[in-house]
Amino acid sequence: MIRACVIGWPIEHSRSPLIHGHWLKVYGIAGSYAKVAVRPEETAAFLRSMREQGFAGCNVTLPHKETAFAVADDKSPAACAMGAANTLWFAGGRLMADNTDSIAFIEHLRASVPRLSLRNNLVALLGAGGAARALVYAFLEAGAAEVRVFNRTRERAEAVARHFGAAVKVHDWDRRVDGSREVTLLVNATSLGMKGAGKLDMDVSRLDERCVVADIVYVPLVTPLLATAAARGLVTVDGLGMFLHQAVPGFEKWFGVRPEVTDELRALVVADIEGR
Ligand SMILES: NC(=O)c1ccc[n+]([C@@H]2O[C@H](COP(=O)([O-])OP(=O)(O)OC[C@H]3O[C@@H](n4cnc5c(N)ncnc54)[C@H](OP(=O)(O)O)[C@@H]3O)[C@@H](O)[C@H]2O)c1
């Protein structure tokens, strides 16, 4: 039986087992996917002995993504660009690392708004944390001309700009409304809007009427940002699709089947989010 897992600290909240458990059932694979709580000081040792413990690989969530990147023998270009990994597997005895958040965001965006192309276009990004870095990488890979980063802590946005180069422009957090007027896509990658976190104060009335508004927060599924954007008639993209798509590459590496993100899977996770 093939075994995989997700590691984090804490890990109880993780919905990854729901996704992989669903796919194991749908594809009739005799495998398992578990949650494993790993203390930060034990992460490197856990990963180095993962194979001996019988795991084909794992997903990695907070706060272990940087350690996972550092410990891996071979790293994908996306993982290198972010300095963090969320998906690990073995190839020829070597520990391989990828970061699937950026491709997941793009795949969900393409599936949700097929008409949208980022090539030579402007993107506004709220936030400059770990997830924001994955998105900057995704936008630049998709050919965006400019990514405007608005972050409460300006130095953090400046660090992102230094890392990714001249196409990333840093703006003050207070300029997020005026500085987003003509963008093609606006994405919230702060934790604001998430259940239990603060409110995101973002006036969408001045965005271009063709601007697509996305949120990577997915609890609640329809964040206040998405609700106000939709009420204005703008096309919106929720954060859940990114979460579902980031799981695809790992499942394929461990279990040998490329799984599909279906309405059935989405409904399963939505029911869990809504406590049904
Ligand atoms: N859909 C998905 O698959 C997916 C994947 C990854 C993450 N996420 C979600 O994305 C969010 C960010 O994750 P992360 O890992 O990037 O977290 P992070 O590294 O901790 O970054 C948090 C970001 O939120 C900003 N922020 C927090 N409180 C704020 C406030 N009161 N006012 C203004 N800005 C504030 C921070 O600004 P400062 O720099 O000023 O602190 C920073 O930019 C989380 O809600 C996470 O659940 C979703």
Side-chain angles (χ1 to χ4, degrees):
M1 184 168 90
I2 302 170
R3 294 168 63 212
C5 63
V6 56
I7 65 164
W9 185 263
I11 196 64
E12 299 77 49
H13 65 282
S14 174
R15 290 191 173 89
S16 289
L18 204 56
I19 301 176
H20 291 282
H22 173 77
W23 284 333
L24 285 170
K25 205 163 67 186
V26 166
Y27 297 105
I29 296 170
S32 72
Y33 183 98
K35 288 184 219 182
V36 182
V38 177
R39 291 176 187 277
E41 62 274 20
E42 291 164 1
T43 312
F46 176 89
L47 294 174
R48 289 198 184 100
S49 66
M50 189 163 57
R51 220 169 168 210
E52 288 68 50
Q53 294 180 57
F55 290 111
C58 68
N59 280 130
V60 180
T61 187
L62 300 178
H64 301 329
K65 293 183 179 186
E66 284 80 13
T67 307
F69 175 77
V71 167
D73 299 313
D74 292 308
K75 302 142 198 218
S76 71
C80 290
M82 289 162 238
N86 70 350
T87 304
L88 301 182
W89 70 99
F90 292 95
R94 295 177 69 77
L95 183 60
M96 316 295 284
D98 193 6
N99 193 315
T100 64
D101 278 344
S102 46
I103 187 72
F105 179 84
I106 289 293
E107 284 186 355
H108 178 51
L109 186 67
R110 286 198 180 123
S112 308
V113 198
R115 69 152 169 91
L116 180 69
S117 167
L118 298 185
R119 187 152 299 280
N120 300 325
N121 276 323
L122 302 181
V123 179
L125 178 63
L126 309 182
R133 279 179 179 249
L135 297 188
V136 170
Y137 179 75
F139 301 149
L140 297 179
E141 285 289 294
E146 186 179 315
V147 181
R148 296 180 181 172
V149 180
F150 303 86
N151 196 52
R152 175 181 62 176
T153 309
R154 191 179 164 101
E155 300 77 57
R156 214 169 171 198
E158 282 165 353
V160 173
R162 273 197 303 281
H163 186 76
F164 286 99
V168 178
K169 308 285 186 210
V170 176
H171 295 260
D172 283 338
W173 177 244
D174 292 348
R175 297 274 310 147
R176 62 195 178 281
V177 174
D178 279 341
S180 302
R181 280 172 186 243
E182 71 279 42
V183 302
T184 302
L185 171 70
L186 176 127
V187 187
N188 174 43
T190 72
S191 43
L192 295 175
M194 189 169 69
K195 191 175 162 193
K199 181 178 175 291
L200 171 61
D201 182 11
M202 178 71 205
D203 177 6
V204 296
S205 67
R206 286 185 246 168
L207 294 175
D208 185 271
E209 64 183 21
R210 281 179 63 82
C211 179
V212 172
V213 176
D215 206 325
I216 67 163
V217 169
Y218 60 89
V219 181
L221 204 53
V222 181
T223 62
L225 172 70
L226 296 181
T228 51
R232 215 211 103 179
L234 301 176
V235 171
T236 61
V237 178
D238 68 43
L240 180 57
M242 176 181 171
F243 176 60
L244 300 178
H245 280 277
Q246 62 76 33
V248 170
F251 190 91
E252 184 176 19
K253 296 286 184 200
W254 310 318
F255 300 113
V257 174
R258 187 162 181 86
E260 259 189 84
V261 173
T262 57
D263 290 344
E264 192 189 1
L265 171 65
R266 198 185 147 85
L268 188 74
V269 180
V270 169
D272 188 68
I273 289 171
E274 293 175 349
R276 281 188 268 128

